[in-house]
Amino acid sequence: MIISSLLLFESNYSYLRTQQWHLFDGQQWSSICNDHIIESHYCQPGARGMTIDTHLGALYIDFDAMTVRGPFAGLGIRREMLLSHNQTQEVGWYFKDNSYWQEYGTQGTSSVNSQTLEQWYNTNPEGSFQFTVGRSTYVIDFSAMTQTRRSTHVLRKVRRRPKFNSSVFVNDRCPNTPSPLSTSINSSMGITWEFMGEEGIWTEYQKPGCSLDSIDIENQYQLNPHGQLTFTAGRYSYTLEFSEMFQINSTFGTKRHVRRTTGENHYNSSALSQIQWQYNDENGYWKDYVKGSARGSCTISSQDIERQYQQNSTGSMSFRTGRFNYILDFSAMIQTNMSTQTKRPVRRLLQ
């Protein structure tokens, strides 16, 4: 696609922006007017690049390599973030499934989502990340931006792109008055919204099973912490009350407790409580291991699992939930029902 309305010049053209695109003409960097057009294309996971028409001639921007080609040598392109210390931008991670780009976690079957990948990427942009889907194990290479299925060695392309005009977290307090919220929201510690499930297990709001996720809820909460919002899950509608922290089924009037957790909730506690262990249930949702005293409750918690993991990270441990016994294999990151032999992926998260 050729965009002919982009001209290079320093200007005071202003709108609410979180980034700025610049072009290097061989001598100096210049801002690009109407660069929101470039940004909107860059945010599309299927866009390899685009051609813009400038006073330097037609220039092609390669989004993956972040390079520019044109009639002159020595040209350069860069995307500068304009976020303050207490802001962040939502980033999507995608893999190419045949001819289509799919976001991780949106199909309800993947054991990983964009938020998790972004956390690991920020920890080590040159590293890798391993996850499982069913019985298959995959490895994402951040430096090569590829995904490999270990059993078949099938390779798929991966892309990391910001979400266009995505909401950012803004703290309105004076910079000299730090807020617990602003200090806990960064690239590796986010906000998680969960409801109490039928089995007494805290379950995160996740798409596509639910019409919104933690990010959507947090955006509304920031606008009005004492308000409410409506959403759907399956064929039912719900209302989430922020002031009382519960959700109501609009059909049956059933109420469930809701909680909002941040990285700071665990930051000052012991090292064990900073780790969260979760399993992937039959619906593709990640659920916490929650220890309880009631009949049918799980006999272990995340802290119990982490304590055993620290003693032997390649070993295993057994536990019981209801009438079933399970084995948790740390090396394979799988839990197995000893009666049915059903296997479920397990993950270990730093909160």
Side-chain angles (χ1 to χ4, degrees):
M1 177 177 291
I2 299 177
I3 304 298
S4 60
S5 59
L6 299 179
L7 299 177
L8 298 174
F9 62 97
E10 300 291 345
S11 76
N12 59 358
Y13 178 81
S14 62
Y15 57 91
L16 183 60
R17 63 167 72 229
T18 58
Q19 78 292 312
Q20 173 70 60
W21 287 79
H22 296 90
L23 182 72
F24 186 70
D25 61 7
Q27 296 182 341
Q28 63 179 358
W29 289 98
S30 300
S31 60
I32 304 177
C33 184
N34 294 331
D35 62 341
H36 61 280
I37 300 176
I38 301 176
E39 181 68 14
S40 66
H41 282 74
Y42 176 66
C43 292
Q44 299 298 319
R48 291 179 294 180
M50 66 179 296
T51 299
I52 59 175
D53 188 15
T54 73
H55 68 276
L56 296 176
L59 307 177
Y60 178 77
I61 303 173
D62 186 322
F63 290 145
D64 289 331
M66 201 53 77
T67 58
V68 61
R69 299 194 300 269
F72 307 102
L75 298 175
I77 193 76
R78 72 183 182 189
R79 177 178 179 269
E80 179 186 7
M81 296 303 300
L82 304 178
L83 301 175
S84 62
H85 72 283
N86 54 10
Q87 293 178 304
T88 187
Q89 184 176 41
E90 187 180 359
V91 175
W93 282 80
Y94 308 86
F95 65 94
K96 193 170 186 180
D97 183 11
N98 297 323
S99 300
Y100 301 96
W101 287 92
Q102 302 282 358
E103 183 175 1
Y104 285 95
T106 58
Q107 300 303 304
T109 57
S110 176
S111 61
V112 66
N113 56 29
S114 291
Q115 185 179 9
T116 301
L117 288 174
E118 185 65 12
Q119 291 174 357
W120 281 89
Y121 176 81
N122 286 320
T123 301
N124 183 11
E126 301 299 321
S128 62
F129 179 83
Q130 179 174 300
F131 66 99
T132 58
V133 177
R135 297 184 178 181
S136 300
T137 301
Y138 300 83
V139 176
I140 297 177
D141 186 330
F142 293 142
S143 58
M145 293 303 281
T146 57
Q147 165 191 294
T148 304
R149 185 174 181 176
R150 284 199 159 178
S151 59
T152 62
H153 300 289
V154 172
L155 199 72
R156 296 189 185 277
K157 294 181 180 179
V158 171
R159 279 181 178 158
R160 171 182 178 264
R161 296 288 173 85
K163 296 193 175 181
F164 184 65
N165 203 25
S166 60
S167 299
V168 296
F169 296 102
V170 182
N171 176 24
D172 294 330
R173 298 191 181 195
C174 173
N176 295 325
T177 307
S179 160
L181 179 61
S182 66
T183 55
S184 65
I185 297 175
N186 52 47
S187 60
S188 61
M189 290 185 182
I191 303 294
T192 299
W193 283 84
E194 300 169 304
F195 65 92
M196 179 65 76
E198 294 181 356
E199 300 177 355
I201 297 176
W202 286 106
T203 305
E204 184 179 357
Y205 290 92
Q206 293 180 333
K207 298 176 180 178
C210 181
S211 62
L212 44 70
D213 56 20
S214 291
I215 295 175
D216 299 325
I217 299 174
E218 182 62 20
N219 289 341
Q220 291 297 317
Y221 179 81
Q222 289 293 320
L223 294 174
N224 184 9
H226 301 288
Q228 61 179 217
L229 62 83
T230 58
F231 65 96
T232 59
R235 67 176 188 267
Y236 296 111
S237 297
Y238 299 84
T239 298
L240 198 162
E241 297 278 356
F242 291 136
S243 58
E244 300 184 55
M245 294 300 282
F246 61 71
Q247 72 173 33
I248 306 174
N249 184 306
S250 301
T251 303
F252 301 106
T254 305
K255 291 185 178 181
R256 296 190 185 279
H257 292 290
V258 171
R259 72 178 182 182
R260 173 179 178 268
T261 60
T262 70
E264 185 154 302
N265 292 146
H266 309 284
Y267 187 75
N268 293 321
S269 58
S270 67
L272 291 178
S273 64
Q274 295 184 41
I275 303 297
Q276 191 69 37
W277 284 82
Q278 299 178 329
Y279 66 94
N280 200 247
D281 73 0
E282 63 273 14
N283 296 316
Y285 294 111
W286 286 103
K287 292 188 176 181
D288 298 340
Y289 287 92
V290 179
K291 188 176 183 179
S293 56
R295 185 177 180 180
S297 298
C298 184
T299 58
I300 58 171
S301 64
S302 285
Q303 290 77 13
D304 298 328
I305 300 174
E306 181 62 21
R307 188 178 294 108
Q308 186 68 27
Y309 177 82
Q310 290 295 333
Q311 294 177 5
N312 183 6
S313 60
T314 60
S316 63
M317 71 180 298
S318 60
F319 66 96
R320 185 179 180 85
T321 299
R323 59 189 177 89
F324 293 109
N325 293 307
Y326 298 85
I327 294 291
L328 200 164
D329 186 332
F330 294 136
S331 59
M333 292 300 279
I334 292 290
Q335 83 171 26
T336 304
N337 184 311
M338 301 307 295
S339 300
T340 65
Q341 293 301 305
T342 301
K343 298 181 184 292
R344 299 193 182 283
V346 171
R347 69 180 182 182
R348 174 178 179 263
L349 301 177
L350 176 62
Q351 300 297 301

mmCIF file of all heavy atoms in Angstrom, residues 125-145:
data_model
loop_
_atom_site.group_PDB
_atom_site.id
_atom_site.type_symbol
_atom_site.label_atom_id
_atom_site.label_comp_id
_atom_site.label_asym_id
_atom_site.label_seq_id
_atom_site.Cartn_x
_atom_site.Cartn_y
_atom_site.Cartn_z
ATOM 1 N N PRO A 125 14.896 -10.502 26.097
ATOM 2 C CA PRO A 125 14.488 -10.398 24.686
ATOM 3 C C PRO A 125 15.245 -11.339 23.748
ATOM 4 O O PRO A 125 14.805 -11.549 22.621
ATOM 5 C CB PRO A 125 14.775 -8.927 24.339
ATOM 6 C CG PRO A 125 14.802 -8.218 25.654
ATOM 7 C CD PRO A 125 15.367 -9.210 26.618
ATOM 8 N N GLU A 126 16.365 -11.883 24.195
ATOM 9 C CA GLU A 126 17.138 -12.794 23.351
ATOM 10 C C GLU A 126 16.917 -14.244 23.743
ATOM 11 O O GLU A 126 17.552 -15.141 23.185
ATOM 12 C CB GLU A 126 18.639 -12.457 23.461
ATOM 13 C CG GLU A 126 18.996 -11.038 23.042
ATOM 14 C CD GLU A 126 18.642 -10.763 21.587
ATOM 15 O OE1 GLU A 126 18.843 -11.671 20.755
ATOM 16 O OE2 GLU A 126 18.170 -9.652 21.294
ATOM 17 N N GLY A 127 16.034 -14.493 24.691
ATOM 18 C CA GLY A 127 15.823 -15.840 25.191
ATOM 19 C C GLY A 127 14.730 -16.591 24.455
ATOM 20 O O GLY A 127 14.428 -16.322 23.292
ATOM 21 N N SER A 128 14.115 -17.532 25.166
ATOM 22 C CA SER A 128 13.054 -18.360 24.587
ATOM 23 C C SER A 128 12.009 -18.668 25.652
ATOM 24 O O SER A 128 12.227 -18.420 26.840
ATOM 25 C CB SER A 128 13.628 -19.659 24.013
ATOM 26 O OG SER A 128 14.235 -20.434 25.040
ATOM 27 N N PHE A 129 10.899 -19.219 25.206
ATOM 28 C CA PHE A 129 9.797 -19.553 26.114
ATOM 29 C C PHE A 129 9.179 -20.865 25.662
ATOM 30 O O PHE A 129 8.910 -21.071 24.481
ATOM 31 C CB PHE A 129 8.741 -18.448 26.098
ATOM 32 C CG PHE A 129 7.560 -18.715 26.995
ATOM 33 C CD1 PHE A 129 7.619 -18.427 28.349
ATOM 34 C CD2 PHE A 129 6.389 -19.262 26.480
ATOM 35 C CE1 PHE A 129 6.531 -18.676 29.180
ATOM 36 C CE2 PHE A 129 5.300 -19.513 27.304
ATOM 37 C CZ PHE A 129 5.378 -19.220 28.660
ATOM 38 N N GLN A 130 8.977 -21.770 26.625
ATOM 39 C CA GLN A 130 8.406 -23.082 26.312
ATOM 40 C C GLN A 130 7.003 -23.199 26.907
ATOM 41 O O GLN A 130 6.756 -22.772 28.028
ATOM 42 C CB GLN A 130 9.304 -24.185 26.865
ATOM 43 C CG GLN A 130 8.784 -25.603 26.610
ATOM 44 C CD GLN A 130 9.761 -26.665 27.053
ATOM 45 O OE1 GLN A 130 10.889 -26.734 26.587
ATOM 46 N NE2 GLN A 130 9.332 -27.519 27.967
ATOM 47 N N PHE A 131 6.076 -23.778 26.139
ATOM 48 C CA PHE A 131 4.718 -23.986 26.641
ATOM 49 C C PHE A 131 4.143 -25.232 25.987
ATOM 50 O O PHE A 131 4.733 -25.807 25.066
ATOM 51 C CB PHE A 131 3.830 -22.768 26.348
ATOM 52 C CG PHE A 131 3.573 -22.521 24.889
ATOM 53 C CD1 PHE A 131 2.389 -22.934 24.287
ATOM 54 C CD2 PHE A 131 4.508 -21.857 24.104
ATOM 55 C CE1 PHE A 131 2.147 -22.705 22.939
ATOM 56 C CE2 PHE A 131 4.278 -21.618 22.752
ATOM 57 C CZ PHE A 131 3.086 -22.055 22.175
ATOM 58 N N THR A 132 2.990 -25.661 26.496
ATOM 59 C CA THR A 132 2.361 -26.870 25.985
ATOM 60 C C THR A 132 0.921 -26.599 25.575
ATOM 61 O O THR A 132 0.255 -25.737 26.144
ATOM 62 C CB THR A 132 2.361 -28.001 27.037
ATOM 63 O OG1 THR A 132 1.675 -27.549 28.205
ATOM 64 C CG2 THR A 132 3.772 -28.399 27.396
ATOM 65 N N VAL A 133 0.457 -27.330 24.575
ATOM 66 C CA VAL A 133 -0.948 -27.354 24.157
ATOM 67 C C VAL A 133 -1.318 -28.819 24.007
ATOM 68 O O VAL A 133 -0.809 -29.492 23.104
ATOM 69 C CB VAL A 133 -1.179 -26.601 22.838
ATOM 70 C CG1 VAL A 133 -2.639 -26.712 22.422
ATOM 71 C CG2 VAL A 133 -0.782 -25.141 22.973
ATOM 72 N N GLY A 134 -2.164 -29.317 24.889
ATOM 73 C CA GLY A 134 -2.455 -30.736 24.882
ATOM 74 C C GLY A 134 -1.211 -31.526 25.237
ATOM 75 O O GLY A 134 -0.597 -31.293 26.276
ATOM 76 N N ARG A 135 -0.810 -32.414 24.349
ATOM 77 C CA ARG A 135 0.393 -33.222 24.584
ATOM 78 C C ARG A 135 1.601 -32.684 23.827
ATOM 79 O O ARG A 135 2.672 -33.300 23.860
ATOM 80 C CB ARG A 135 0.134 -34.672 24.175
ATOM 81 C CG ARG A 135 -0.951 -35.353 24.996
ATOM 82 C CD ARG A 135 -1.087 -36.823 24.604
ATOM 83 N NE ARG A 135 -2.095 -37.503 25.410
ATOM 84 C CZ ARG A 135 -2.415 -38.789 25.300
ATOM 85 N NH1 ARG A 135 -1.780 -39.531 24.383
ATOM 86 N NH2 ARG A 135 -3.335 -39.330 26.066
ATOM 87 N N SER A 136 1.431 -31.579 23.140
ATOM 88 C CA SER A 136 2.522 -31.029 22.324
ATOM 89 C C SER A 136 3.245 -29.917 23.058
ATOM 90 O O SER A 136 2.624 -29.098 23.743
ATOM 91 C CB SER A 136 1.983 -30.499 20.993
ATOM 92 O OG SER A 136 1.365 -31.529 20.255
ATOM 93 N N THR A 137 4.553 -29.883 22.896
ATOM 94 C CA THR A 137 5.394 -28.860 23.497
ATOM 95 C C THR A 137 5.932 -27.944 22.409
ATOM 96 O O THR A 137 6.367 -28.410 21.353
ATOM 97 C CB THR A 137 6.572 -29.488 24.269
ATOM 98 O OG1 THR A 137 6.057 -30.337 25.297
ATOM 99 C CG2 THR A 137 7.442 -28.410 24.911
ATOM 100 N N TYR A 138 5.901 -26.644 22.660
ATOM 101 C CA TYR A 138 6.358 -25.650 21.703
ATOM 102 C C TYR A 138 7.405 -24.754 22.353
ATOM 103 O O TYR A 138 7.393 -24.543 23.569
ATOM 104 C CB TYR A 138 5.198 -24.787 21.211
ATOM 105 C CG TYR A 138 4.100 -25.556 20.518
ATOM 106 C CD1 TYR A 138 3.103 -26.198 21.241
ATOM 107 C CD2 TYR A 138 4.056 -25.629 19.125
ATOM 108 C CE1 TYR A 138 2.092 -26.907 20.606
ATOM 109 C CE2 TYR A 138 3.040 -26.331 18.479
ATOM 110 C CZ TYR A 138 2.067 -26.969 19.224
ATOM 111 O OH TYR A 138 1.073 -27.663 18.589
ATOM 112 N N VAL A 139 8.295 -24.221 21.505
ATOM 113 C CA VAL A 139 9.314 -23.283 21.967
ATOM 114 C C VAL A 139 9.267 -22.039 21.086
ATOM 115 O O VAL A 139 9.314 -22.134 19.860
ATOM 116 C CB VAL A 139 10.729 -23.895 21.922
ATOM 117 C CG1 VAL A 139 11.769 -22.850 22.325
ATOM 118 C CG2 VAL A 139 10.816 -25.099 22.859
ATOM 119 N N ILE A 140 9.159 -20.884 21.720
ATOM 120 C CA ILE A 140 9.210 -19.608 21.002
ATOM 121 C C ILE A 140 10.588 -19.013 21.177
ATOM 122 O O ILE A 140 11.064 -18.827 22.302
ATOM 123 C CB ILE A 140 8.144 -18.627 21.544
ATOM 124 C CG1 ILE A 140 6.746 -19.183 21.304
ATOM 125 C CG2 ILE A 140 8.289 -17.265 20.865
ATOM 126 C CD1 ILE A 140 5.642 -18.311 21.873
ATOM 127 N N ASP A 141 11.248 -18.750 20.064
ATOM 128 C CA ASP A 141 12.574 -18.129 20.055
ATOM 129 C C ASP A 141 12.384 -16.630 19.851
ATOM 130 O O ASP A 141 11.992 -16.193 18.769
ATOM 131 C CB ASP A 141 13.418 -18.729 18.926
ATOM 132 C CG ASP A 141 14.857 -18.233 18.947
ATOM 133 O OD1 ASP A 141 15.102 -17.095 19.394
ATOM 134 O OD2 ASP A 141 15.743 -18.988 18.503
ATOM 135 N N PHE A 142 12.647 -15.841 20.892
ATOM 136 C CA PHE A 142 12.415 -14.406 20.804
ATOM 137 C C PHE A 142 13.337 -13.716 19.802
ATOM 138 O O PHE A 142 12.935 -12.781 19.113
ATOM 139 C CB PHE A 142 12.581 -13.757 22.180
ATOM 140 C CG PHE A 142 11.525 -14.155 23.178
ATOM 141 C CD1 PHE A 142 11.844 -14.359 24.508
ATOM 142 C CD2 PHE A 142 10.212 -14.331 22.782
ATOM 143 C CE1 PHE A 142 10.877 -14.720 25.435
ATOM 144 C CE2 PHE A 142 9.234 -14.698 23.691
ATOM 145 C CZ PHE A 142 9.567 -14.896 25.024
ATOM 146 N N SER A 143 14.584 -14.148 19.717
ATOM 147 C CA SER A 143 15.525 -13.491 18.805
ATOM 148 C C SER A 143 15.187 -13.781 17.348
ATOM 149 O O SER A 143 15.291 -12.913 16.484
ATOM 150 C CB SER A 143 16.964 -13.930 19.118
ATOM 151 O OG SER A 143 17.098 -15.337 19.012
ATOM 152 N N ALA A 144 14.753 -15.014 17.057
ATOM 153 C CA ALA A 144 14.391 -15.380 15.686
ATOM 154 C C ALA A 144 12.922 -15.118 15.401
ATOM 155 O O ALA A 144 12.504 -15.133 14.241
ATOM 156 C CB ALA A 144 14.703 -16.854 15.435
ATOM 157 N N MET A 145 12.124 -14.889 16.443
ATOM 158 C CA MET A 145 10.673 -14.690 16.336
ATOM 159 C C MET A 145 10.033 -15.844 15.573
ATOM 160 O O MET A 145 9.354 -15.673 14.548
ATOM 161 C CB MET A 145 10.360 -13.345 15.683
ATOM 162 C CG MET A 145 10.770 -12.149 16.539
ATOM 163 S SD MET A 145 10.010 -12.142 18.180
ATOM 164 C CE MET A 145 8.381 -11.518 17.776
#
